Amino acid sequence: MKKQNLKQHNIDFYQDQSLDEHKLEQLLSLAESVNTNNSDISSVSKRNYIRSIAAAIIIAVSIPLGIQQILNTDNSQLVPQEIALNHLKQLSLEFDANNYASLNKMMPKLDFKLESPENTQLAGLTILGGRYCSIQGNLAAQIRLTDKKGLIYTLYQTPLTEALKLEKTGTFPSQDIEISQWNESGLFFGLARSIIN
Amino acid sequence: MTTLSNKDNIRQLLQKGYRYAYSLTHNAAQAEDLVQDAWLSILKNQAPHNIQYLITVVRNCFLNQLKREKIVPLVTIEDIQTEELLLASEKDFYDILANNDQLNKALNTLRPIEREIIYLYYIEEYSTEEIAKLTSISKGAVCSLIYRSRIKLKSSINTEKSEIAL
């Protein structure tokens, strides 16, 4: 077995730790999607430069709102992508339960109460359990469900913050995952399922 | 679009961020989660893509996680060693021999803050002043943490060796 002095060994030890290629590509694709949005906005801005000057005078009072809208557009894919990445990981469940009431008891660190959502996409799904996670830095619950065919779904619940209120709702694909986002009972919900299975 | 060189730079940045996160958690899955959360936060806030910033965000994500789990991450560091003492005892650190398994176990006995400081000092090669700025603790406390962590690592490896010898 290789032995070496502790300083060099520490260096080598950490150099050996690395993100695998698949994970790196996922994280890079997040940057790509943000850059692409920035680039699109930039091209539009150039084409409309002269018109924008005139328009700017008129809409000066609404600049703060405009900036906010651009920022929202740039980042519109981040929450769905985060949900998709977490869904793909399929990390082991911390709590085994088949209903929300049991999960609420098992997850006391949540600063909100898990709700049984009314969204019809969840009809007929069976709860397998849950774990703590985060969405955009906010504490969230990740609940794993399955349908009759054994297809796995991941449901996220987290309090509806001001930032999450601005998130798009609806169903849209992100990589090979279909993501649905909606608000209900003061909570933000995200549901992920693999499209190819 | 992200150019190739940009892409390579981001790859290196993410790998460095991951290694730093690993120094905090000593757990691959948790380190992956931390670097993902930090990266999403950087993209969301359109923050600079540099290692100092990434380290700060990873650290904040880690502290938030500990706060949520109600774990007190840092303890008071009373013993302040001087940098001279730190440098004088450096040779001891060089002289210890260990294999990968022994080092892994020894690192696991350190607290996250100790592994973090060792990582920043030896692997990222930050000065004690730079580490103090990054971690918001005094330079004296940084020196103390490096000094103590080395002693702990040495002691842990020696114990492991004696157990094997027996």
Side-chain angles (χ1 to χ4, degrees):
Chain A
M1 208 177 273
K2 190 178 155 195
K3 285 194 174 191
Q4 52 189 336
N5 82 55
L6 204 47
K7 182 186 173 186
Q8 188 55 45
H9 201 163
N10 256 289
I11 294 168
D12 292 348
F13 179 83
Y14 280 108
Q15 286 300 335
D16 285 347
Q17 314 303 325
S18 57
L19 283 167
D20 66 41
E21 197 53 33
H22 180 64
K23 184 71 197 175
L24 255 182
E25 282 302 323
Q26 285 178 338
L27 296 178
L28 280 166
S29 73
L30 288 174
E32 288 273 359
S33 66
V34 171
N35 284 347
T36 305
N37 284 338
N38 285 340
S39 160
D40 291 347
I41 287 161
S42 167
S43 307
V44 170
S45 300
K46 280 174 195 165
R47 283 200 302 273
N48 295 323
Y49 180 68
I50 296 170
R51 273 181 290 170
S52 296
I53 292 172
I57 298 164
I58 301 164
I59 61 167
V61 287
S62 58
I63 280 176
L65 181 63
I67 290 170
Q68 187 60 48
Q69 281 169 345
I70 289 170
L71 286 175
N72 294 339
T73 309
D74 286 348
N75 298 312
S76 62
Q77 286 302 305
L78 288 178
V79 172
Q81 297 230 28
E82 186 176 10
I83 289 173
L85 288 173
N86 287 336
H87 172 74
L88 283 170
K89 276 189 205 162
Q90 290 294 307
L91 293 175
S92 55
L93 296 171
E94 292 173 82
F95 312 102
D96 293 326
N98 59 9
N99 59 69
Y100 292 103
S102 303
L103 278 175
N104 268 318
K105 284 180 194 161
M106 291 169 168
M107 300 174 81
K109 287 174 196 163
L110 293 177
D111 49 5
F112 61 96
K113 190 169 165 282
L114 292 171
E115 297 287 344
S116 174
E118 289 175 8
N119 190 312
T120 51
Q121 290 184 75
L122 292 150
L125 300 185
T126 307
I127 297 173
L128 299 174
R131 57 176 288 124
Y132 292 110
C133 73
S134 67
I135 295 287
Q136 297 293 296
N138 304 306
L139 181 60
Q142 191 182 119
I143 299 151
R144 192 166 301 161
L145 306 104
T146 183
D147 63 13
K148 285 173 187 165
K149 291 177 186 167
L151 188 67
I152 297 295
Y153 294 69
T154 313
L155 175 71
Y156 299 83
Q157 295 195 21
T158 191
L160 187 60
T161 60
E162 288 305 312
L164 288 172
K165 277 181 190 166
L166 301 170
E167 280 299 318
K168 281 184 191 167
T169 54
T171 299
F172 27 87
S174 176
Q175 296 164 14
D176 295 331
I177 314 288
E178 186 183 85
I179 308 290
S180 298
Q181 294 184 167
W182 72 96
N183 306 327
E184 204 180 303
S185 313
L187 296 176
F188 173 85
F189 288 85
L191 179 68
R193 73 173 182 95
S194 300
I195 297 171
I196 304 160
N197 226 311
Chain B
M1 287 291 287
T2 307
T3 63
L4 184 64
S5 59
N6 270 346
K7 219 173 171 179
D8 286 345
N9 288 340
I10 293 176
R11 276 172 182 274
Q12 285 177 14
L13 177 71
L14 290 169
Q15 290 293 16
K16 280 190 167 194
Y18 173 77
R19 289 183 188 118
Y20 169 69
Y22 192 92
S23 79
L24 293 170
T25 61
H26 206 61
N27 175 297
Q30 285 170 14
E32 205 175 274
D33 277 352
L34 271 185
V35 81
Q36 179 184 306
D37 285 351
W39 185 233
L40 281 163
S41 166
I42 284 173
L43 294 176
K44 177 106 182 163
N45 296 307
Q46 299 179 329
H49 295 181
N50 65 51
I51 188 61
Q52 285 86 355
Y53 199 84
L54 182 58
I55 281 177
T56 304
V57 182
V58 167
R59 189 167 208 274
N60 288 341
C61 289
F62 179 67
L63 293 176
N64 286 341
Q65 195 179 305
L66 294 185
K67 220 180 282 172
R68 283 202 299 265
E69 289 166 12
K70 297 188 169 57
I71 297 169
V72 181
L74 306 175
V75 295
T76 317
I77 306 149
E78 319 92 17
D79 237 349
I80 304 298
Q81 307 290 333
T82 64
E83 188 137 26
E84 288 72 30
L85 180 56
L86 186 68
L87 293 171
S89 61
E90 181 85 19
K91 192 180 169 296
D92 281 352
F93 194 57
Y94 283 26
D95 290 345
I96 310 165
L97 293 176
N99 62 37
N100 219 29
D101 188 43
Q102 287 163 342
L103 178 64
N104 192 19
K105 283 181 183 165
L107 282 169
N108 205 28
T109 65
L110 298 186
R111 290 175 295 146
I113 182 81
E114 293 168 333
R115 277 196 303 268
E116 176 190 21
I117 300 287
I118 287 283
Y119 177 83
L120 293 173
Y121 189 68
Y122 287 108
I123 287 83
E124 287 295 334
E125 297 185 325
Y126 283 119
S127 68
T128 48
E129 288 92 342
E130 287 169 328
I131 297 172
K133 272 188 198 163
L134 268 172
T135 56
S136 306
I137 54 179
S138 70
K139 187 185 159 189
V142 170
C143 292
S144 178
L145 278 166
I146 296 171
Y147 183 77
R148 285 181 183 193
S149 305
R150 288 197 311 219
I151 291 173
K152 276 173 92 169
L153 278 176
K154 187 177 173 181
S155 155
S156 173
I157 286 166
N158 286 338
T159 309
E160 173 83 9
K161 282 179 182 170
S162 343
E163 279 169 9
I164 291 169
L166 286 171

